[in-house]
Each structure stands twice: as C-alpha cells, then as structure tokens.
Amino acid sequence: MSAKTDRIDRLAELTARKDEGGHGLWYEAFRRLRRNPLAMTGAVIILLFVLIAILAPWLAPHDPAAQTWLGEIRGAEGFIPGPRSGNWLGVDGLGRDELSRLIIGSRQSLLVGVVATLLGFTAGAILGGLSGAFLGMFGKAGRWVDSILMRFNDMALAVPSLLLAISVATILGQGLVTVMIAVGVTQIPVFARLLRGSMLAQSHSDYVLASTALGVRKRRIVLNHILPNSMSPVLVQATLSLATAIIEAAGLSFLGLGGANAANPEWGVMLADSQQYLATNLRLAVYPAVAIIITALGFTLLGEAMREALDPKLRK
Amino acid sequence: MLRYIVRRLLQLVPTLFGLSILLFAWLHSLPGGPEAAMLDVRATDAKRAEVRAALGLDEPLIVQYGRFMKRLVRFDLGDSFTTGTPVMEEFGRRFPATVELTVVAMIIAICAGIPLGYLAARRHGRIFDGLTVTGSLLGICIPIFFLGFILKAIFAVKLGWFPSLGRQDVDVNATRVTEFYVLDGILTQEWDASLNALWHLILPAIALASIPFAIIVRMTRASVLEVLGEDYVRTAEAKGLRENTVRGRHVLRNAMLPVVTSIGLLTGGLLSGAVLTETVFVFGGIGSFLATAISNRDYPVLMGFIMIIAVIYVLINLAVDLSYSVLDPRVRVR
C-alpha cells in the first residue's frame, strides 16, 4: 500500500516539477527575487541590520550607558550638544553617546522582532494548521472543530491588540519579554487565519483531486501535499510581520510598557524618551525613528517581493 | 438576502456569549483588582475587603457573571468603577470622537489611495509606479506616533496652521446634540463650531490614515493589474468601447472587490486601534479610555466597551460581505 502511494506521490511530484520548467517553486522564486532590485535593497538592509546587531559591542564607539556631564560639553546651538567630534550623532538628554545607543539598540529590536514573530508564527500555524487539517480530513466532525477554532480566532481579532498587550504587562510586569509576548500574541490570529485560508484554497486544486482519484489517503494528502504547498503566504507574512513587530514594539515602549535599562537601550524607548526634548531637539526623535523605519522597510521590501515572486498568477 | 442577514445576526448571539465568558475569565484572572487603583497602597486589608464588597466583587465569580448577563439582556452594562457613571453613557460620550477620527482618516485614505493605486497600475513598471509603491511601503513603516509628532511639530507648533490637541477649541461655545462635534455644528447650524472641530481632526486623521492609505494603494494597484490582464477587458477594448467605459465599468468595478474587503477590515481595526493617535493628540476617544480602564481594572467598562466593539466589528464585516453582491452580481449571498 505504502509503496504504491509512494510511487504515486513521486509521480505527482515529477509531473508538477515538469510543469514548472524543471525547477521547484522555491528555486524559481529565489531566481526572480535576485533579479528584483527592491528585493535586493531589502535584503541588503536586513543583512546590514543583522551584522550591526551581532557586532554591536565592537562597533559602538562608546559605552551606551556612560554619561558625560552636559555642562562640560554644552554646544553652542542648544543645551544638548548635537553632532561633534567624538560623538558623531551628538549625545542624548542624559549625556550618553547617541550613536552607541543606536548601535547597541539594534540588538533589542532584532530580538523583539524575531522572538515575537516566531511566537506568532508557531502558535498561529499550529492553530491554523489544525483547523485546516481537521477540515480536510474528518468531514462533518472536522468542520465542527474548524468552526469552533475559527470563532475563537475571530474573537481574538476583535479584542484590541493593545489591551492584550497591557494585560500581558500586568501579569509579567514591564520589560522586553512583555513586549515580545504581547506583540507575538497579537500576531497569532493573523497567521492562523492565513494558513487555514491557504490550505482551504489548496484543497480545491487539481493535484488534490488527482491524488484523491488515485486513492491516496486523506491524511497523506493533507500532510504531504496541501500543508507544504500552503506555507508560502505564511512565510511571506512572517517576513512582513518582522517589520510590524519592530514598529509595534516601539509603540508599546512609547506607551511605557517597554523596559530597557541604561545599558540596554532600545529604539522604541529612545523614541519615547525623546518626547520631552521634542520642541528643542527634534533630532533625538529622528535618529531612532529613522532606524526603525529603515529596518522595517528592509523587511517589508523583501516580504513584498517574496509575495510577488511566489504568486503563481504573476509568474510568466 | 434578508434571510442571510438575519442568520448572520443570529450567529452573533453565540459568538458574543463565548466572548463574554472569555473576557470575564481573562479580566478576573489579571492580578490585582479595582480596589488597588481606588485606594492608597497603605490601605488596610479590611478597607480593601470593604471596597470589594461594595463593588460586589466578594461574591463567587459565577454569581458576578450571572449578574452581568442579567443586566446585559436589558442592555444595561453597569456603572464604571472609576467614574461611577453608566458604561453606556461613557461609551456614548467617547465613541463619537473615535468614530469621527476613524471616518475622516478612512475618507483621506480612500480618496488618496484608490486613485493613486489605479494610476500606479496603469503606469506599471514606470517611475510613477515605483515611487507610489515605495511611498506606500514607507507609510507602513513609519511608527504612527512618530508621524503624529512630526505633523504636530511642523504644522501645529512651527507653522501654527492647525491646533495641536483636543477636539475643539475650549472657547468655542457649542451646543451638544449627538457628541459628534462636526455633526452637532451642522445640526445646530453653528458652522464655526463644526469647522473648528473639523480643523482639529485633520492632523490626527492624517497620522491615523497612513497605514490604511498604504494598504489601500497596494491592494488597488495589485487588483487593477490583475483585472487589466483579463480577457474581458481586452474584449471590451476590442469591441471599441470608449476608454472611460472600460475603465469605469470593467476595470475599476471588478478590481474593487478585494479593496472593499480590506477597507472593511481596516475600519474595524482603526476603531479599536486609534490609541496611539488619540494619545499623541489628546483626543479623548475610546482608545485612551480603554487603556486606563485596564490599569484601573474597571471591569464593567472593559466588558462593555470590548463587547460593543466586537458587535460593531461583526456588523462592519457583514456590510462588507453584503457589498460583494452589489459589486459583483456573480456573488449571491445565501
């Protein structure tokens, strides 16, 4: 039985590959990505961001927590000195080197983005995958399970994400872990809905009909054919969600939920701290904001290009 | 059609019932209680117990939930723990601010987003297209409160063109009818008050519109591109229809389906997600009120507000589904 279905699987796979011109979906997508200048820009930004985050302790010219007495270095243009030799981007309101804080801060942003996205991705994919699998495998009972899971999901979508975040903060206290979990939790229903929808769309494909006609068991169709083919929109969403996570984390820090200490600066907290100097020293808000925007743009550019590259409708 | 609407509305009942149980369990499982926000940290345990008893929090959870449901069927959501006023009244006062903000933001996003997305698709692959796409991606990547700050710093503080906070100047003596300040001014024919409120809306609405604008631009562009490649567009062009007819009846109308879906979802999201904008512009809508309600453990306000938002969310989605059958005759709701 198994040997036979194995052969059928193999046959289906070979036929599918042949249609695509001898290469797999991902290979084709990667080739298209490499020719897309926007995707490459995004990839370069992400690479730089990751490198800076990894090498931060060696790149930062100063200790991010070390303070200089402002009276000593008071610049001519204002109370808080701007760019000058020794501090390329000037110092912040407490006399700490702005550039060093930005560089070290990249680590926190990367961490928040990756952990929150992983959390949302994993939990969401399990939820959505279960829903889709039950729907595909167990007929009426499966539809019941799917319907219950998805109603839960809809309810989670209706609850304002900020409230979820604040309640996570009341349980765990302020801090980076809170921000990660809060941002991650709000991503779960998005991933769940996406994977379920994608599996549902795939289950109407010709290859599923063909496999069913050939007598392949439902479980095998769902797990070996539908599920892997449904993953591409979810992976695209994961890339985009890295950007959202970094921006949302900044928003939570702005509302006072993020907890970064002096030695571990975070872009969102830096932006929130800069509020009190907004009228006199706008640059203190601009630096971390620009850092957030460029990083988020990198992930968004790559994610959008991936979406286009993986979309069969746009393939020529 | 009518049967469909009725069925969808009936489905609301079990959903809301489930939501109320989940919400109740979630809120009451949060550490601390409303008495912590109402009393000094040095308050004795006896005093705390007294306050809890006065609020009816000393009874078993199931009794408290039963009481909540009993009131709910009479559309009474109880009184706020912190302000003492009925939750419905609080909601009636704050929700109009959020609605006004959301509506103006969505109008900006739609009026700017759809034409830009359409033009970008028509000029696919040219500089205009590239600029639009990059610009819309930037719109998603700018933290909304930072955009708010920048707008405030430039247009309110530096240039003084717009007010920097609030819903209306304090010296405007306006009559309140519906709490929708712009609408009130029109109803009472106090045009100054109406215009003043509208003026206060512009900056926060632009800040709030940035994300929906970006999404609408990209949805429209992608959707129009797809429709432009369809056979029926070529047929329409080939049989010599005027270009405007092809654009309006064939391309735009068919391309609007996914855009309308996302507009519906975005509106629902904005209603509850305007917290950051409301905070930056001190706008007094439901977002900031909810944020304080959760730190005060104001259970009635939280339960009431979130359930009303959930109902509105469902109604918006229903409206979206119904609009499909108007836009696309092939879609018949059953």
Side-chain angles (χ1 to χ4, degrees):
Chain A
M1 179 65 198
S2 146
K4 193 174 161 196
T5 43
D6 266 340
R7 225 171 47 231
I8 296 170
D9 280 354
R10 185 88 195 109
L11 198 68
E13 209 180 309
L14 285 177
T15 331
R17 286 240 172 115
K18 212 169 137 204
D19 287 347
E20 286 168 9
H23 297 292
L25 172 73
W26 289 98
Y27 180 86
E28 284 289 318
F30 183 69
R31 237 185 36 181
R32 267 195 304 278
L33 275 184
R34 276 206 4 218
R35 277 182 309 205
N36 183 341
L38 285 183
M40 283 301 103
T41 316
V44 169
I45 293 175
I46 295 169
L47 196 70
L48 275 177
F49 170 58
V50 173
L51 275 179
I52 289 175
I54 292 172
L55 300 174
W58 295 279
L59 286 176
H62 296 274
D63 177 358
Q67 289 173 266
T68 325
W69 186 47
L70 285 176
E72 202 174 283
I73 53 172
R74 184 178 301 186
E77 72 273 33
F79 185 66
I80 305 168
R84 59 192 206 108
S85 74
N87 309 101
W88 289 354
L89 295 180
V91 294
D92 70 359
L94 295 175
R96 296 173 296 198
D97 182 45
E98 186 75 8
L99 180 64
S100 306
R101 292 180 69 71
L102 276 180
I103 292 175
I104 302 282
S106 64
R107 313 190 112 190
Q108 308 284 344
S109 287
L110 182 65
L111 198 66
V112 171
V114 170
V115 174
T117 303
L118 271 181
L119 176 70
F121 177 83
T122 317
I126 291 174
L127 199 66
L130 270 180
S131 213
F134 269 100
L135 200 62
M137 281 193 269
F138 297 110
K140 197 162 185 182
R143 271 203 296 280
W144 260 96
V145 174
D146 167 67
S147 159
I148 290 170
L149 283 176
M150 278 303 119
R151 285 298 86 73
F152 264 105
N153 209 41
D154 290 350
M155 282 188 247
L157 276 173
V159 174
S161 57
L162 193 85
L163 285 192
L164 280 178
I166 298 174
S167 51
V168 172
T170 55
I171 297 170
L172 297 176
Q174 293 179 359
L176 204 65
V177 181
T178 300
V179 174
M180 287 176 195
I181 294 180
V183 174
V185 165
T186 57
Q187 302 277 351
I188 295 175
V190 180
F191 279 109
R193 191 142 264 275
L194 203 62
L195 181 58
R196 174 187 173 273
S198 174
M199 284 177 78
L200 207 64
Q202 290 290 333
S203 65
H204 296 303
S205 310
D206 290 343
Y207 68 82
V208 173
L209 192 69
S211 311
T212 316
L214 288 170
V216 182
R217 271 190 301 179
K218 268 188 181 169
R219 208 181 63 180
R220 206 187 172 95
I221 298 179
V222 170
L223 296 182
N224 290 10
H225 295 289
I226 297 182
L227 193 60
N229 278 310
S230 310
M231 286 314 276
S232 57
V234 185
L235 287 172
V236 170
Q237 178 60 36
T239 317
L240 295 173
S241 146
L242 276 162
T244 335
I246 291 173
I247 298 166
E248 273 188 19
L252 293 182
S253 300
F254 166 71
L255 289 170
L257 295 177
N261 51 39
N264 272 330
E266 199 247 335
W267 292 347
V269 179
M270 289 172 71
L271 194 45
D273 286 346
S274 73
Q275 272 181 89
Q276 43 183 321
Y277 310 110
L278 215 54
T280 52
N281 289 79
L282 193 62
R283 61 177 181 86
L284 286 181
V286 171
Y287 295 144
V290 168
I292 292 171
I293 293 169
I294 292 180
T295 313
L297 196 63
F299 284 112
T300 314
L301 282 174
L302 187 68
E304 287 296 323
M306 267 168 74
R307 191 206 300 273
E308 253 174 54
L310 283 166
D311 190 345
K313 269 179 281 185
L314 298 173
R315 225 179 290 161
K316 283 278 147 62
Chain B
M1 183 83 153
L2 192 69
R3 270 186 60 186
Y4 174 78
I5 297 175
V6 171
R7 207 183 60 208
R8 283 284 297 261
L9 290 179
L10 283 179
Q11 277 178 1
L12 243 179
V13 178
T15 311
L16 279 183
F17 185 63
L19 179 66
S20 72
I21 293 179
L22 278 182
L23 259 181
F24 200 82
W26 166 45
L27 292 176
H28 285 266
S29 69
L30 293 179
E35 76 278 2
M38 300 162 101
L39 296 172
D40 193 87
V41 274
R42 290 165 297 181
T44 56
D45 284 348
K47 184 70 193 164
R48 284 169 199 275
E50 193 184 306
V51 172
R52 287 188 73 86
L55 296 172
L57 295 172
D58 54 340
E59 288 170 279
L61 278 184
I62 188 90
V63 177
Q64 292 184 39
Y65 180 74
R67 212 171 40 216
F68 172 79
M69 286 312 279
K70 219 163 110 186
R71 278 203 305 254
L72 186 67
V73 290
R74 282 177 285 152
F75 296 103
D76 174 11
L77 291 166
D79 298 341
S80 159
F81 285 169
T82 34
T83 60
T85 38
V87 172
M88 278 293 196
E89 210 182 297
E90 287 291 352
F91 191 81
R93 195 162 57 223
R94 289 166 206 279
F95 193 54
T98 304
V99 172
E100 274 188 346
L101 187 58
T102 303
V103 168
V104 176
M106 283 312 285
I107 290 176
I108 295 175
I110 293 169
C111 289
I114 291 182
L116 265 181
Y118 178 78
L119 286 176
R122 298 292 305 207
R123 288 164 180 64
H124 181 53
R126 300 208 213 136
I127 294 175
F128 179 81
D129 183 32
L131 281 180
T132 314
V133 171
T134 322
S136 70
L137 290 181
L138 257 179
I140 294 179
C141 293
I142 295 181
I144 199 164
F145 57 96
F146 177 69
L147 184 60
F149 275 142
I150 293 290
L151 289 174
K152 216 163 119 167
I154 296 175
F155 294 103
V157 181
K158 271 239 168 72
L159 299 171
W161 291 353
F162 295 95
S164 62
L165 48 89
R167 296 181 62 191
Q168 211 165 38
D169 285 339
V170 273
D171 53 357
V172 171
N173 197 3
T175 326
R176 299 271 168 266
V177 188
T178 57
E179 296 288 337
F180 290 91
Y181 286 8
V182 179
L183 191 68
D184 281 357
I186 295 171
L187 289 177
T188 55
Q189 300 200 328
E190 292 165 350
W191 305 112
D192 287 358
S194 189
L195 218 61
N196 188 282
L198 197 62
W199 219 231
H200 277 79
L201 274 168
I202 303 285
L203 286 187
I206 291 177
L208 192 61
S210 64
I211 292 176
F213 163 74
I215 295 175
I216 290 173
V217 166
R218 289 182 349 197
M219 291 289 293
T220 312
R221 176 179 171 271
S223 184
V224 168
L225 271 182
E226 208 181 311
V227 173
L228 281 176
E230 296 280 355
D231 290 343
Y232 57 74
V233 173
R234 201 182 44 202
T235 311
E237 276 167 356
K239 69 185 180 188
L241 288 184
R242 268 182 305 150
E243 206 176 338
N244 282 341
T245 320
V246 180
R247 280 183 191 168
R249 287 229 191 119
H250 295 80
V251 178
L252 255 185
R253 185 165 169 171
N254 283 301
M256 278 303 106
L257 268 179
V259 182
V260 168
T261 316
S262 64
I263 288 175
L265 291 174
L266 287 168
T267 312
L270 286 195
L271 283 178
S272 60
V275 187
L276 289 171
T277 320
E278 284 177 10
T279 313
V280 172
F281 289 95
V282 198
F283 209 70
I286 53 168
S288 33
F289 192 65
L290 269 178
T292 36
I294 197 155
S295 27
N296 291 337
R297 305 287 187 284
D298 199 338
Y299 301 136
V301 167
L302 290 165
M303 292 288 294
F305 276 35
I306 297 178
M307 291 197 48
I308 300 176
I309 294 173
V311 173
I312 294 169
Y313 201 81
V314 173
L315 290 182
I316 290 177
N317 280 329
L318 177 60
V320 167
D321 287 350
L322 290 178
S323 73
Y324 282 172
S325 59
V326 178
L327 283 167
D328 186 349
R330 283 174 306 180
V331 180
R332 287 270 172 260
V333 285
R334 269 169 294 132

